[in-house]
Amino acid sequence: MNTTPVEYSKKDFMSDQTIRWCPGCGDYSILSQVQTVFAGLGLAKEKYAIVSGIGCSSRFPYYMNTYGFHTIHGRATAVATGLKLSRPDLSVWVVTGDGDGLSIGGNHMAHLLRRNVDLNVLLFNNRIYGLTKGQYSPTSEIGKKTKSSPMGSIDHPFNPIAFALGCGSSYISRSVDVFASHLRDTLTAANTHSGTSFVEILQNCNIFNDGAWDSMVDKDHRDGRVLYMEHGKPLVWGSEDDKYGFILDGLSIKPVKLGETHQETDCVLHDKHNLILATMLANLDPSDGAPLAVGTFYESDKSTYDSMFVTQIADATSRLGAGDLAKLLNSGETWTV
Amino acid sequence: MNTTPVEYSKKDFMSDQTIRWCPGCGDYSILSQVQTVFAGLGLAKEKYAIVSGIGCSSRFPYYMNTYGFHTIHGRATAVATGLKLSRPDLSVWVVTGDGDGLSIGGNHMAHLLRRNVDLNVLLFNNRIYGLTKGQYSPTSEIGKKTKSSPMGSIDHPFNPIAFALGCGSSYISRSVDVFASHLRDTLTAANTHSGTSFVEILQNCNIFNDGAWDSMVDKDHRDGRVLYMEHGKPLVWGSEDDKYGFILDGLSIKPVKLGETHQETDCVLHDKHNLILATMLANLDPSDGAPLAVGTFYESDKSTYDSMFVTQIADATSRLGAGDLAKLLNSGETWTV
Amino acid sequence: MSNAAPVVLDQVVVRFAGDSGDGIQISGDQFTRTSALAGNDLATFPDYPAEIRAPAGSREGVSGFQIQLASHPVFTPGDIADALVAFNPAALVTNLDGLREGGIIIVNSDKFAKIDLEKARLVSNPLEDGTCDKFRLVQAPIGKLTKEAVEAFGLKTKEIDRCKNFFALGMVYWLYGRPLDPTEEWLRKRFKPPFLDANLASMRAGHAFAETAELFEGPFMVPPAVIAHGTYRNVTGNLAIALGLAAAAVKSKTTVFYGSYPITPATDILHTLAPFKNFGVATFQAEDEIAAVCASIGASYGGAIGVTGTSGPGLALKQEAIGLALMAELPLVIINVQRAGPSTGLPTKTEQADLLQAMYGRNGESPVAVLAPATAADAFDVTLQAVRLSVKYRTPVVVLSDGYVANSSEPWLLPDIDALPPIEVVHPTDPETFKPYLRDPETLARPWAIPGVPGLEHRIGGLEKADITGNISYDAHNHEKMCHLRAEKILRMRADIPATDVHGAASGTLVLAWGSTYGAIRTAVDQCLAEGQAVAHVHLRHLNPLPADLADIMGRYAHVIVPELNMGQLSKILRAEYLVDAIPFTKIQGQPFRVAEVKARLDALVAN
Amino acid sequence: MSNAAPVVLDQVVVRFAGDSGDGIQISGDQFTRTSALAGNDLATFPDYPAEIRAPAGSREGVSGFQIQLASHPVFTPGDIADALVAFNPAALVTNLDGLREGGIIIVNSDKFAKIDLEKARLVSNPLEDGTCDKFRLVQAPIGKLTKEAVEAFGLKTKEIDRCKNFFALGMVYWLYGRPLDPTEEWLRKRFKPPFLDANLASMRAGHAFAETAELFEGPFMVPPAVIAHGTYRNVTGNLAIALGLAAAAVKSKTTVFYGSYPITPATDILHTLAPFKNFGVATFQAEDEIAAVCASIGASYGGAIGVTGTSGPGLALKQEAIGLALMAELPLVIINVQRAGPSTGLPTKTEQADLLQAMYGRNGESPVAVLAPATAADAFDVTLQAVRLSVKYRTPVVVLSDGYVANSSEPWLLPDIDALPPIEVVHPTDPETFKPYLRDPETLARPWAIPGVPGLEHRIGGLEKADITGNISYDAHNHEKMCHLRAEKILRMRADIPATDVHGAASGTLVLAWGSTYGAIRTAVDQCLAEGQAVAHVHLRHLNPLPADLADIMGRYAHVIVPELNMGQLSKILRAEYLVDAIPFTKIQGQPFRVAEVKARLDALVAN
Ligand SMILES: Cc1ncc(C[n+]2csc(CCOP(=O)(O)OP(=O)(O)O)c2C)c(N)n1
Ligand SMILES: Cc1ncc(C[n+]2csc(CCOP(=O)(O)OP(=O)(O)O)c2C)c(N)n1
Ligand code: SF4
Ligand code: SF4
Ligand SMILES: [Mg+2]
Ligand SMILES: [Mg+2]
């Protein structure tokens, strides 16, 4: 089999299908970054398979000139698991939404995360069901008014990062549709992790939930509200003259203003291998003034399901030899007439 | 409607159905404690409804002389949600297994926990599928050999407590089938919490996974291996002359031997309202020498779904009056011929 | 010509088409309402694009609204339009297929610049390249004229743009001799100055433009129809179902618990019901379809009337749980708004291909009742009937609506609420006589015992039950008995089905159908009847059980033909049940039947 | 009497019954194997209690094993036993119903103390109260005698107890003139001293006791049957399916990916397959049925052969995803081991009530192929055929096994592996000619293009596909075309179905059936034929598509009767498809047909 060259431009990953997202949808930016990142990973194009469920976000595979499977609602993670187990040579990416991945698909997501199959999950979180025209989702804030919740939603939302931590996920990060370069870095980093990489991407649905993340991520707020977590670096955010950081305070991290009483050097250093710190960062509540943390929350070294799957097959084969069908059928008690 | 007396003995909660569990099964002890606890809660017998899925554990309702619904595999939490929403006056209990509640039923469990419907979930964790005769479950340890995993399971297990934390559960506790009085106390406490009380009960399946918990909970080990968490009390365990405790060490809790260098007073006090401490305690790994924590991991004050559900209906009704059907049908644009 | 007496027409089909943002649906609704007030009978169909927001001006983004109005009863929005209002090139070219030769086209000629053509993937201008030759093309610079008309009110460009549809509506009102008042009144309720004034001015300008520009051979006039007296409103099928559930709550004095997970085209039922909290309707948006149906079962177990709504793929997911309700013998109504499958299929398109799924899509012998509404308005009655049967017989009942019924609308003669019979809900309370599976001798229903009643504590579940006691039973003969009892319970519902209405000839060809095909079939049959053909139409509301008199009726006809929007599902059932050579007549295009298609098939059958 | 020449019998039915711990299944297996080696044809059925471990001595805890051995071909384990070995009172009283009048009972008389009777909810001793009057009761103090026989080996009481079954087996071996060597040899392979010696001693003691105690009128003798030459082994249906999948992996040189979630009675397939890793079989225990089927679809998408196994309620859950495989046109084999429903039903009991679910249980028009094994051994061929069709036509294929086929066992003539045709797997690689939905003109299959091939990058999914390109298409006529193509693809499989085998008379009554009822029906038909009745038997392996010659065949018979363990599912299909008055003959008791039941029904039909 020929392999195609691995020097690509972004254009090589653009398919010929007309894009059907609403003009202005955050999905466009994510698509663009994924195309750019794929072009740069050095992997042959035919080795990528993108599996999605159903939702606006799940239309993603159609727009990527790779192998793609637009499956059914909530099941992309399960389909991708089977694909990766049968084809460990592929780079498998799951694209899903907050509804697809956490509502109907929450269980397969949870089990994927605990099993740690080596694939990348991109969860486009717009806090709404886009494709079905705007009902609250499992990440919508309580009190959200939508057509299905005219008096405000009474569902306490999931925190996707905390959820992933609770499932034993080995890699958890977050970025934002409009943070082009941060998103590219996030995707690239996620791809290098072996095991399931869970990437929450905050995404704007400008039709049904416009500005859901604006108070943190738009140009006006971004500088003051976003904490870029970097492993080994202090947990600080804000602009040069209005800077904050987290210091340790018993069993919690406390935000302090830097400058007078506290310096950057007092701040907690981010440690992506620390589950407890990850839990603290996951539970920051930006709606309550806390910064929005982006970057890698957590990474751990956990054996992957697919490698163990393959190993057991290899071990059995090396121990027992390639199966002899005649012998198998003749096993047990036989008799000859 | 008459209400029956609320003075009961355990026998009042025993049904006339022959119990079909294997002799020696841990489910017997749990049944006995639940019957005793129900008798003591002061609630009229007809107000209890027990909803279960499918599994050995899920046979529970048949043996309780209350209302009971033995539903289908994995869906007890969803059925119970509907029941509680239609009948907030009932005391609704879900009985489920590690397979029923965390494998096929993991999603409904997760959504129940985040929604915080006011009911009690008893998850009988025997780390095995009992009813289907012994396959590894989502809580089985990696490497477990069963009929479906002859070379050892390659599934990293869920940690049910961590899972519940990740789902935003408002009440999480743990007890053990054979800890009769601790189990009774645990159940009683869970019942007083308003919101979903998630109770993991370690249970022995003496047929397919005998002794799964023995190295921590049997009479020989119990004293040295079990940490009884009590709110406001230091986190200590062990016997009088061989006692240990947790002290705070940066972002973690560290086990120390008490006596010489460390005293009970140095130890962290349990705070069931602290999510971070709960996370630390949830992630103790008894298979790695850590003590097994039992008691209440976490409790938070979070509005319940059912109360908000009822409130919205009441608010709408008081704002708009009882619905006038004629008016509703005549709303919109009408014309008369 | 404009002052000439209007040309009188029996019926007219008008189609509005443009971008989603062009106010197509509003124009359509207003034209509908004004025509209804003028006494016409009518039927409408809004046609949404598959994408949420396809690019403006693209073919994929075209939104449509079709209405048929007539001086006689009409049952469909019309096969083919007499007039088309197209707001842009894409709307024009994608709709010409549905316009009759010689039909009127009104276009916004301002929107045919090169860039507009490109958006529609056109290389030449359809206004000039002969595309419209077979039609009467009216080019109106609607954009420019609207702008002039509303200049005075100081609106922004975007806001001016939003008045365009009223200009076009004004033109159409003139063309069909309609008064402006109903829409003026509506505008007054909806808009404040300066938007009110701008819209009014725009509509009047359109009206005046049509009158003075002498572009048409009109005006035309469709005289009022003779229709039943009473108060009417327009309803879509989804709305009618929601209203039916509200009525069920009121009439049963029992909470209707609607558990659902959003899915096209059923979601609007949830949207409509959510604000009905003060009517005894509780809605629960679940995490998936399985949770939705299970929560509804839990609610029924508690004494509410559990209802769950979905579309085909969601029904597949619910089937296991429907089996539980069937075994537990609890009320449960399942609304399934069918869409084109298989799998995700064509989710915005209509189809009738879930009949066999509804009948047989569960493990084991698991009979459920199945009903289907014929039209949007009919969905109200069908919903009420479904609840009634489910409560009375304590068993799941499936309502098979579809994308067409869900979204089409028609005038609905409002029922007399007091005349609607109550839905009787009885829960046993007497421990002496209570047995969980002791059956009502008439309906075979078991008692609907709910938690909270002292002395009635008992256990139910999905394992086979012993007759009467309801205890788990592995007994062979009990199982056989229970299977037959559950089946018999469904058959007993025949007592609740009125005599079948046969429309048309007493012998010859019987057209036997169900669900949303009603309008096209009834119209085609009426045309055949008018031509003297021996044709009759029976439209089934009850698919399971089938009416007791159906065998007799079929026996009277030489041919039985079964038109369906699937590959022959009802005909399979009829053939199996009655060994009658029911001839399938199928269409599986995501589209409703056209009258002409049905007519042609019937003609061919008669000719043979 | 003991030295008399053995009484020769044509066939014998023996039943072992006792607590799960009594070694019933081992006794049965040994007796089966010894009889097979003696050249008998035979069929067996193990009968497990519904509970995991019901209390020892209780009625619920009784485990059974029935075997029919004969000097002629046999197809069932027998309606009624000639001899019953009962290890305790519960085993005795729950099995008397299945013993013919005058049949032999061997009981362990040590186990009839008061406490033993109580465990079985008995108030009087059935050995004394007349219960056994109609039978030939042999009371053997098996416990005591076993103890004496093994005294020498220093075992613990519990260990001694475990030798009891060999004592009883020894008795039975004497009774039917069987050699002890095969079991001795087996014991030598399985046990080490002192257990080996104890078991050997116990069996020999039982044999000697039977011979000397002169309790019987035996010994009896069942001469060898004339059966095809070759090597045999016993298989259950579940085992045969697992072996079939292993063979499919080898014959296709492609990984078989088996995704499953445990469920009775299908779980053993997973258990059996799990150690076949070196045969190219990969197993995945998923979190639920939906994940199982989806993972299998993902595996097929990657180029493995995706297989998923379950039972009825699980099939319901998988249906939405099966629709996806159908739309994506990927190979997928679904093994459904039917159990008694609806809902949880009677999970350990057998039934054939998922046929319609398999055919119609999905949204939209979603045809799949359906096959059913007739017997345990047949399940091997059916499984291979299912994989072959699924791979060849790229579409889901359902195999309908059931609890009876799954657990019953019969001798299986081992196939010549080299003679099994390979399963051809082809993945396209040429970008020039590749189109995702360009069909093979013969099979209509689309190319099975898998990720990793340069230049073939493409997208598939559950939305309707355009013919040839596979792009999303909302086109009305394309949808109709694709629906018909998917249906036609299934019909084309007729080319892979051999001519239907008609057994019996050329006219008269045709017995048309499918699945696990084969044995009882074939035996009953043979009895009718022996009596000169004009009866024939066709047993369908292919339920969808039905064989091309079936209409012709049915046309030759005056009556077509369709015996099924459901409420008439195949007969519905036949009636709808062929308008033939197929008479349903149904039984829905969680139990297989008895030969006598079928015979009686056929007699009645002929008498009419
Ligand atoms: C089984 C099933 N249930 C429901 C639906 C309808 N549905 C399609 S997408 C969707 C939610 C999408 O939300 P999300 O995953 O957040 O995607 P977004 O559109 O917001 O990107 C729903 C409910 C479906 N297609 N299939
Ligand atoms: C839909 C469905 N899938 C599978 C099963 C089979 N099944 C019954 S119980 C069970 C697992 C039970 O495990 P757990 O919940 O841990 O209960 P336990 O028996 O261990 O108490 C399974 C797989 C079923 N009944 N229904
Ligand atoms: S509805 Fe929202 S999420 Fe969907 S395409 Fe439009 S903007 Fe994007
Ligand atoms: S199998 Fe295990 S869990 Fe089930 S009843 Fe027996 S001991 Fe208990
Ligand atoms: Mg979303
Ligand atoms: Mg378990």
Side-chain angles (χ1 to χ4, degrees), chain C residues 7-12 70-71 82 100 176 220-223:
Chain C
V7 185
V8 174
L9 298 174
D10 264 3
Q11 75 263 328
V12 147
S71 58
D82 299 297
R100 72 167 163 81
Y176 294 106
F220 302 98
M221 220 289 260
V222 183

Side-chain angles (χ1 to χ4, degrees), chain A residues 20-27 56-57 126 128 130-131 203-209, chain C residues 52-53:
Chain A
R20 299 260 175 266
W21 289 315
C22 307
C25 176
D27 291 349
C56 295
S57 33
N126 56 13
I128 202 82
L131 191 72
Q203 174 242 329
N204 192 40
C205 168
N206 55 308
I207 301 297
F208 296 113
N209 200 18
Chain C
I52 312 280
R53 291 282 188 282

